Amino acid sequence: MAKAKPKGKDKAATATAAKEGDSGCNTQTLYNNYVKVCQSIGIEPYNDLMQIVTTTGEQIIITGNSTDKKFLSSGGCRAFMNALAGKLEGAKMETFTSLKDLRICSSNINDSGAVAVATFLRGHAEVKHEVIKPDADDVPAIQPVKLQFLDLSDNHIGKIGALHLGRALEVGGNKTVTTLIMDFNPLGSEGASSLCKGIATNSSLEVLSLKHCNIDSMGGEPIAAMLTFKRLALKTLDLSGNSLGGLGLNRLCKGLEQNWSLTTFRLAGNNIRQSDEDIAALEAFGKVLLTHSKLTEIDFNHNHIGSKGGKLLLPGVQNKQITTLQISETGMDEETYKALFRVSKGNKGKTKSKKKSAKKK
C-alpha cells in the first residue's frame, strides 16, 4: 500500500525534521567535530565557541574574551575551518552546509588564521550538498546554503593573510561571498593591494569594508584598478579611518571615472584637508560626482576640506542622484555648508517623490 503524502502542517514538520536530522546543519555536531580536530592537532578547544553558535547555524559569531584573555587564535581558527569543511584525516565528517553568515572578530587569528579561512573559501566556492528530492507537490527540496557574509574585523591580519584572501576571491575562486569586512586589521597599502588584486576579477562581492586598515596614499592606485573591472559587482566601498590623503583620493578618482557599480562610497577621516594636493583631488572628485551614474551616498566626514573644497564638490553634489552627503563643517563657511546640505537633502526629496508618483501610476 502506497504511503500517504504529508499535507499542510505535516509538510512543514517533515521539512524541519529533515533539516534537523541533517548533520550538515547541526551545530552540536559541528562543535564536536571542532573538538576532534583540535585534539588531532594538539591544541585546547576554545570552550566559549559552543555558547556563541546559534541554534540554526546560519549565523556564527565568534569573538574574543578580553576579560579572561581567551581567544580562538590562529590554531583554533584552522581547526574550526577544518570542522566546517568536514576535514579530519582518518575520520568521516560532513561539510557544515547551513552557514550563511560567519563573523570571527577580535579573535587573534592573525595571518595563518586568515590563510585557513581563504583555504575554506577556495575549497567551497560553491557548497555542494546532496539535495533531498521529494515527490512532485510534496515538501520542498533542501537546497545547499552558501556563505555570503564574512567579517574578520580586528584580527591582526596583515599583508600575507590579505594576499591569500584575495587569491581565494579572484576569478575561478569563491562566488558565494557578497560581503567582506576587514576593519581594524593592519593590512597596510601592500595588503590592500593584494586583496584588491583578487577582488578585481570577482563579479559576486557587493560590499567591501576596509576601515582603519593603515592604508596610505599608495593604496589608492590598486583600489582604483579594482574599480575599473567591467564585471565588478561592488556596490559599497568603505575606506574610512585610513590615511589616503589628497594623493590617494586623486588616484582613486581614476578608478571611479571608469566604475559603474558603486552606489555608496565612504572616505571619512582620511586626512584630506586644504593643501594644493588636496584641492586638486577634491576638484577631480567633484568631476566624478558629476558623471558617475550610480553613486547615491557619500561619506566625507572628518576631512577638513574648508569652504574652497566644499565649493569644488557642490556642482557634483547637484547631480540629482546624490541623496546622502556626510561632510564636516569645520573650517567651512555657513553658506557653503548649507548649500551642500540643502542640495543633498533636496535630491533625497526628489527621489522620494518619484517613488510616490510611480506608485500612483
Side-chain angles (χ1 to χ4, degrees):
M1 189 174 178
K3 237 183 195 179
K5 292 181 181 179
K7 295 180 181 179
K9 290 182 180 178
D10 292 336
K11 285 185 178 183
T14 304
T16 303
K19 188 170 183 178
E20 286 176 351
D22 181 3
S23 60
C25 301
N26 189 305
T27 53
Q28 183 62 57
T29 301
L30 172 63
Y31 180 73
N32 292 341
N33 288 342
Y34 161 70
V35 172
K36 288 177 185 176
V37 178
C38 285
Q39 290 170 344
S40 72
I41 60 177
I43 64 171
E44 285 292 321
Y46 180 47
N47 291 327
D48 290 350
L49 185 62
M50 190 55 204
Q51 298 170 20
I52 48 186
V53 174
T54 60
T55 52
T56 64
E58 290 187 358
Q59 182 187 67
I60 295 177
I61 302 175
I62 302 171
T63 56
N65 189 331
S66 56
T67 305
D68 297 335
K69 295 185 178 180
K70 292 181 179 178
F71 305 94
L72 182 66
S73 76
S74 55
C77 186
R78 289 197 306 273
F80 184 68
M81 299 315 295
N82 280 339
L84 283 174
K87 289 171 65 177
L88 176 60
E89 192 174 342
K92 186 179 179 182
M93 298 194 305
E94 285 194 35
T95 301
F96 188 77
T97 58
S98 181
L99 187 61
K100 288 183 180 179
D101 180 339
L102 177 60
R103 308 182 191 206
I104 303 176
C105 306
S106 305
S107 294
N108 284 357
I109 69 170
N110 304 307
D111 280 335
S112 55
V115 171
V117 175
T119 302
F120 176 83
L121 292 178
R122 281 198 305 272
H124 299 83
E126 290 185 69
V127 178
K128 294 179 181 178
H129 184 59
E130 185 179 351
V131 176
I132 299 172
K133 295 182 179 179
D135 297 331
D137 301 322
D138 206 337
V139 184
I142 298 174
Q143 298 297 328
V145 180
K146 302 171 183 179
L147 178 62
Q148 299 163 5
F149 189 104
L150 179 60
D151 185 352
L152 298 176
S153 297
D154 189 25
N155 274 300
H156 305 289
I157 297 169
K159 60 185 182 181
I160 295 173
L163 172 66
H164 284 267
L165 288 167
R167 286 176 177 172
L169 293 167
E170 65 189 6
V171 65
N174 185 277
K175 299 175 184 176
T176 71
V177 174
T178 57
T179 297
L180 176 63
I181 300 176
M182 295 290 293
D183 302 344
F184 297 96
N185 283 299
L187 305 181
S189 292
E190 189 177 347
S193 175
S194 298
L195 181 65
C196 290
K197 187 177 180 181
I199 295 173
T201 57
N202 182 297
S203 56
S204 305
L205 193 70
E206 296 180 359
V207 177
L208 175 63
S209 185
L210 300 175
K211 294 192 289 186
H212 300 276
C213 286
N214 297 348
I215 303 169
D216 61 18
S217 60
M218 297 301 291
E221 194 169 332
I223 297 172
M226 172 190 72
L227 292 172
T228 63
F229 178 51
K230 299 300 181 187
R231 295 180 61 193
L232 193 73
L234 201 63
K235 294 178 182 177
T236 298
L237 176 61
D238 195 338
L239 298 170
S240 301
N242 288 293
S243 303
L244 283 153
L247 182 56
L249 175 59
N250 221 330
R251 289 168 171 165
L252 279 172
C253 286
K254 293 175 183 177
L256 288 166
E257 287 169 354
Q258 301 176 59
N259 172 268
W260 308 111
S261 67
L262 276 190
T263 60
T264 300
F265 181 54
R266 299 192 176 105
L267 202 66
N270 264 275
N271 200 29
I272 300 165
R273 297 179 180 272
Q274 301 171 55
S275 69
D276 291 344
E277 194 173 71
D278 295 338
I279 293 299
L282 289 165
E283 186 176 6
F285 187 58
K287 290 176 182 176
V288 167
L289 295 182
L290 271 173
T291 58
H292 201 290
S293 64
K294 295 284 181 69
L295 274 174
T296 60
E297 183 177 339
I298 308 294
D299 185 355
F300 231 71
N301 254 330
H302 309 299
N303 291 299
H304 305 313
I305 64 174
S307 299
K308 190 173 181 180
K311 287 172 183 174
L312 287 170
L313 295 184
L314 188 55
V317 175
Q318 288 172 335
N319 182 344
K320 292 179 182 179
Q321 69 209 24
I322 305 292
T323 58
T324 302
L325 174 67
Q326 297 181 58
I327 198 161
S328 297
E329 59 182 312
T330 306
M332 190 180 295
D333 64 66
E334 189 177 357
E335 185 182 349
T336 303
Y337 180 74
K338 282 185 175 179
L340 286 165
F341 180 76
R342 185 167 57 246
V343 169
S344 60
K345 190 176 180 181
N347 288 345
K348 188 178 286 189
K350 287 172 188 175
T351 304
K352 286 179 180 177
S353 61
K354 280 181 184 177
K355 286 180 181 177
K356 284 180 181 177
S357 60
K359 284 181 181 178
K360 286 179 182 178
K361 289 179 183 179

